[in-house]
Structure formats: structure tokens, C-alpha cells
Amino acid sequence: PSPSSFQPSGTSEATLRCEIEELKRKDLALDQEIAQLLSEGYSLEELEKHISLLHEYNEIKDAGQMLLGKLAVIRGVTTKQLYPEYDLELSD
């Protein structure tokens, strides 16, 4: 089978090539950012720890948002209307 037979339906080879190039640019930008942080004295272990903590924070935040959503449905209000009750900012 040809490589094009594995493409998702409606996805052209040109589109896939563009996506690959965009991913390569993002990879290079991330490598440069890591190099900058390392030159500022951060260690890879420290960066990995920060990334791990950010993932954990996002998972906890997602769970909190889900709970607020369920509570809003039960009360028949919007999630936004619950924020003041729990001293939350809309940016939280």
C-alpha cells in the first residue's frame, strides 16, 4: 500500500507536509527556549519538575471546572454565576 492510503480522509499530502513543517518549527522553537533556560542556570531536572507540576495543576483545575459545571447544572445556573460564591476570578 502507498503512504497516501494511510492518510485520514480529506487530508492531502500537501496539508500533511505543511503540518510536518509547522511541527518542526515548533520543535526548533522549544529547543531554543530550553537552551535559553539552561543558559540562565536552570537544570533539566528543575524544568522537568516544573512541567510535571504544571500538568498536575492543569489536571486539578480541569477537575474543579468539571465539578463547577456539574454544580451549575444541578442549580440551574451558569458556571460564571458560581464564581463569586467561591471567591473565584473569571481568569481562574
Side-chain angles (χ1 to χ4, degrees), residues 31-44 47:
D31 285 344
Q32 290 171 342
E33 189 174 344
I34 289 169
Q36 174 67 33
L37 291 168
L38 291 173
S39 73
E40 292 174 6
Y42 294 96
S43 69
L44 283 177
L47 293 173

Side-chain angles (χ1 to χ4, degrees), residues 28-59:
L28 178 60
L30 289 171
D31 285 344
Q32 290 171 342
E33 189 174 344
I34 289 169
Q36 174 67 33
L37 291 168
L38 291 173
S39 73
E40 292 174 6
Y42 294 96
S43 69
L44 283 177
E45 293 80 19
E46 186 178 10
L47 293 173
E48 289 173 0
K49 178 67 175 171
H50 283 279
I51 290 169
S52 175
L53 290 171
L54 283 171
H55 283 295
E56 184 177 349
Y57 166 81
N58 284 329
E59 289 173 7

Side-chain angles (χ1 to χ4, degrees), residues 3-91:
S4 62
S5 65
F6 294 111
Q7 294 176 9
S9 61
T11 304
S12 71
E13 184 175 338
T15 301
L16 292 175
R17 289 188 189 280
C18 286
E19 288 177 13
I20 289 169
E21 288 305 314
E22 180 62 24
L23 289 172
K24 285 180 181 179
R25 282 191 290 277
K26 287 180 181 180
D27 185 47
L28 178 60
L30 289 171
D31 285 344
Q32 290 171 342
E33 189 174 344
I34 289 169
Q36 174 67 33
L37 291 168
L38 291 173
S39 73
E40 292 174 6
Y42 294 96
S43 69
L44 283 177
E45 293 80 19
E46 186 178 10
L47 293 173
E48 289 173 0
K49 178 67 175 171
H50 283 279
I51 290 169
S52 175
L53 290 171
L54 283 171
H55 283 295
E56 184 177 349
Y57 166 81
N58 284 329
E59 289 173 7
I60 292 168
K61 183 178 177 183
D62 289 346
Q65 290 291 328
M66 183 184 68
L67 290 172
L68 276 176
K70 289 181 183 269
L71 183 58
V73 169
I74 290 168
R75 291 189 182 177
V77 298
T78 65
T79 303
K80 183 178 178 179
Q81 291 171 309
L82 293 176
Y83 274 58
E85 184 176 339
Y86 295 98
D87 296 321
L88 297 171
E89 300 290 329
L90 288 177
S91 61

